[in-house]
Amino acid sequence: MKRKIIASIILVMAIILFGCSSKPETFLEYQNSNFEAEATLEINSDKYSVNIVKSAPDTYKITFLSPENLQGVFIEKNGENVVYSVGNVQIPIKNGTNLVADMTEVFSMAKENLVSDKDEMFNGVKVNTKKFSKETIDTVVYVSAENSLPIRIETSINGNEINMTFSSFKTSEN
């Protein structure tokens, strides 16, 4: 049960990270490119290493690298279709059939949800920090001022703290 909850939260985080509906010239340019990223995902106090790949518009795959008991488990989104896979078992998650899938409409980093946008230092790096708020979700995205790529995303969803810190992030343009 805990695994399903964690997987659902990770799916929501992926949608927060990649489901932006804003335009590239004004918001989070990296979301308009294909990319591959390695990140440490923290859900409350639990930590996971993940690989995230965006291979086409609205097509994402998050693969667990660690801990060992989740290694190889992945969540894949292709348009409206979302699949959670463990070994040979694939569980489709569709709108109208799963609470998390239904909530995905709530999770978008759109301009109308922007609370603040400022330049500052974060862990010794000059960043543009964008804070968003929509219903029960608060999100902070730290984007490098040097290359416009995300360094960290902090989210609170219904009281669950979810943080993603990127160790690498490569777009098709860089």
Side-chain angles (χ1 to χ4, degrees):
M1 181 66 173
K2 183 178 179 183
R3 228 187 230 186
K4 288 181 183 179
I5 292 170
I6 291 170
S8 296
I9 291 173
I10 292 167
L11 174 62
V12 169
M13 188 62 202
I15 292 167
I16 290 169
L17 177 62
F18 309 120
C20 182
S21 62
S22 55
K23 297 181 180 174
E25 61 272 15
T26 58
F27 263 56
L28 307 174
E29 295 175 27
Y30 67 87
Q31 292 180 330
N32 296 296
S33 302
N34 292 341
F35 60 80
E36 182 169 357
E38 299 281 329
T40 299
L41 179 66
E42 297 173 62
I43 301 172
N44 297 316
S45 61
D46 297 325
K47 290 186 179 186
Y48 309 90
S49 292
V50 294
N51 175 268
I52 305 161
V53 175
K54 177 184 178 190
S55 57
D58 211 21
T59 303
Y60 308 95
K61 184 175 182 179
I62 299 173
T63 305
F64 286 88
L65 305 175
S66 70
E68 191 174 322
N69 65 329
L70 290 177
Q71 196 170 33
V73 170
F74 67 88
I75 299 167
E76 196 164 22
K77 180 178 188 284
N78 187 348
E80 293 295 315
N81 300 317
V82 179
V83 175
Y84 173 75
S85 297
V86 180
N88 293 329
V89 178
Q90 294 187 343
I91 304 165
I93 302 171
K94 297 182 180 176
N95 290 333
T97 62
N98 179 280
L99 178 61
V100 173
D102 291 343
M103 292 173 62
T104 60
E105 292 301 316
V106 175
F107 304 114
S108 64
M109 293 185 284
K111 195 170 188 172
E112 60 268 14
N113 304 119
L114 185 67
V115 174
S116 70
D117 183 357
K118 63 182 177 178
D119 294 327
E120 60 185 352
M121 296 298 286
F122 177 76
N123 289 342
V125 177
K126 187 175 179 182
V127 296
N128 177 253
T129 303
K130 295 184 183 298
K131 293 183 182 181
F132 301 87
S133 185
K134 187 171 185 179
E135 297 184 19
T136 60
I137 301 160
D138 295 312
T139 302
V140 180
V141 181
Y142 299 91
V143 179
S144 168
E146 180 182 322
N147 60 19
S148 298
L149 297 175
I151 295 171
R152 182 172 168 91
I153 295 176
E154 299 173 352
T155 304
S156 175
I157 303 171
N158 292 323
N160 291 299
E161 297 298 318
I162 303 169
N163 299 315
M164 190 174 291
T165 303
F166 298 96
S167 56
S168 73
F169 198 106
K170 296 181 182 182
T171 67
S172 54
E173 283 80 38
N174 68 356

